[in-house]
Amino acid sequence: MAVTALTHLDTLSNAIGEPTAISYLPWTGSSGGDKMTFFGRFRNLFGFMIEQHVIEYIYENELVHFRKKFGDMKGYADLLSQASFLFTNGNPYLDFAHPTLHKTVMIGGISVEQDAMNMKEIDQKWSTILSARPHTVLISFGSMAKSIDMPVHYRQALLDTFSSFPNVTFIWKYENEDSSIAADHPNVYLSSWVPQTALLSKLYAFHLYLTCWE
């Protein structure tokens, strides 16, 4: 079995014989989506080729040192192709639609330590926020994709959605918590930092976490 903490990596797909769908599936480091122009697809192909070259260079150089110490051994591509399963840190409901093999199994949150989460406590401030309404949703796009850099119409679309659920508190990890973007939305709480592990350990807090790569 093979395991990766990433949601999707073209190099792994290529190694196990899984279609990479370069024409509409953004490569790992892409900042775009699945709807591309001709030049967007060309850029996607170029990024895919660069990724292949860089990762193969890293893996092959690592293999040289391993072989010096442990003798002859198979490369990563051979090992992956023979693995019965490949577990990824992906979510089929949130990831871009793409062809997969039966051996690829998406397990969102595979890198989360459940025991450590259950030991986390939250202070009075966050307890008050969580108890303000029957349900709570945490919106976080990770540390690489900043909400403050999101296109205005994307942010407005989120706010419009939040307004449709007045009985739900939305905690939005937003890099400028002094922003007035949510001034007219009493059920939206902006915070540049959230105790994510502690919040997610509470049974009454629902969670929407998107891991994005730029």
Side-chain angles (χ1 to χ4, degrees):
M1 294 186 293
V3 181
T4 175
L6 300 177
T7 58
H8 173 77
L9 189 62
D10 298 307
T11 303
L12 297 183
S13 296
N14 193 49
I16 65 175
E18 189 173 76
T20 50
I22 303 174
S23 62
Y24 61 86
L25 180 63
W27 73 286
T28 308
S30 174
S31 60
D34 54 350
K35 296 180 180 179
M36 310 177 200
T37 63
F38 173 80
F39 291 104
R41 292 178 179 178
F42 177 79
R43 186 170 55 185
N44 199 54
L45 173 62
F46 182 73
F48 171 79
M49 295 172 63
I50 292 295
E51 176 195 296
Q52 288 282 108
H53 175 75
V54 171
I55 292 183
E56 287 179 3
Y57 175 81
I58 294 174
Y59 285 175
E60 291 301 324
N61 277 275
E62 288 179 343
L63 194 58
V64 169
H65 295 287
F66 278 113
R67 284 173 174 165
K68 286 181 180 179
K69 185 173 181 62
F70 301 106
D72 189 33
M73 58 187 300
K74 295 180 180 179
Y76 82 95
D78 292 329
L79 292 173
L80 284 171
S81 64
Q82 296 175 10
S84 299
F85 295 99
L86 171 61
F87 296 102
T88 69
N89 189 21
N91 188 317
Y93 297 103
L94 301 177
D95 202 355
F96 290 109
H98 61 280
T100 61
L101 300 179
H102 289 297
K103 68 188 297 180
T104 300
V105 182
M106 294 186 181
I107 306 178
I110 192 174
S111 59
V112 175
E113 297 183 12
Q114 190 64 43
D115 292 338
M117 286 179 59
N118 294 333
M119 295 175 62
K120 298 289 184 178
E121 296 295 335
I122 58 176
D123 57 27
Q124 185 59 42
K125 167 189 171 182
W126 291 103
S127 294
T128 301
I129 294 173
L130 290 177
S131 60
R133 293 175 180 80
H135 305 292
T136 303
V137 174
L138 171 61
I139 307 294
S140 173
F141 294 95
S143 58
M144 298 185 68
K146 300 183 183 299
S147 294
I148 196 173
D149 296 329
M150 185 183 296
V152 175
H153 63 285
Y154 281 21
R155 284 178 282 177
Q156 189 58 50
L158 285 174
L159 290 171
D160 291 342
T161 301
F162 300 160
S163 297
S164 302
F165 299 91
N167 292 327
V168 178
T169 297
F170 292 90
I171 301 174
W172 189 358
K173 183 177 179 296
Y174 198 82
E175 290 68 32
N176 180 14
E177 56 189 52
D178 295 326
S179 172
S180 60
I181 186 175
D184 298 328
H185 299 75
N187 64 330
V188 179
Y189 181 83
L190 302 181
S191 180
S192 58
W193 177 86
V194 295
Q196 181 171 292
T197 303
L199 289 178
L200 298 184
S201 67
K202 306 307 173 185
L203 297 178
Y204 49 85
F206 293 94
H207 175 231
L208 173 60
Y209 181 79
L210 307 180
T211 303
C212 300
W213 294 83
E214 290 186 309

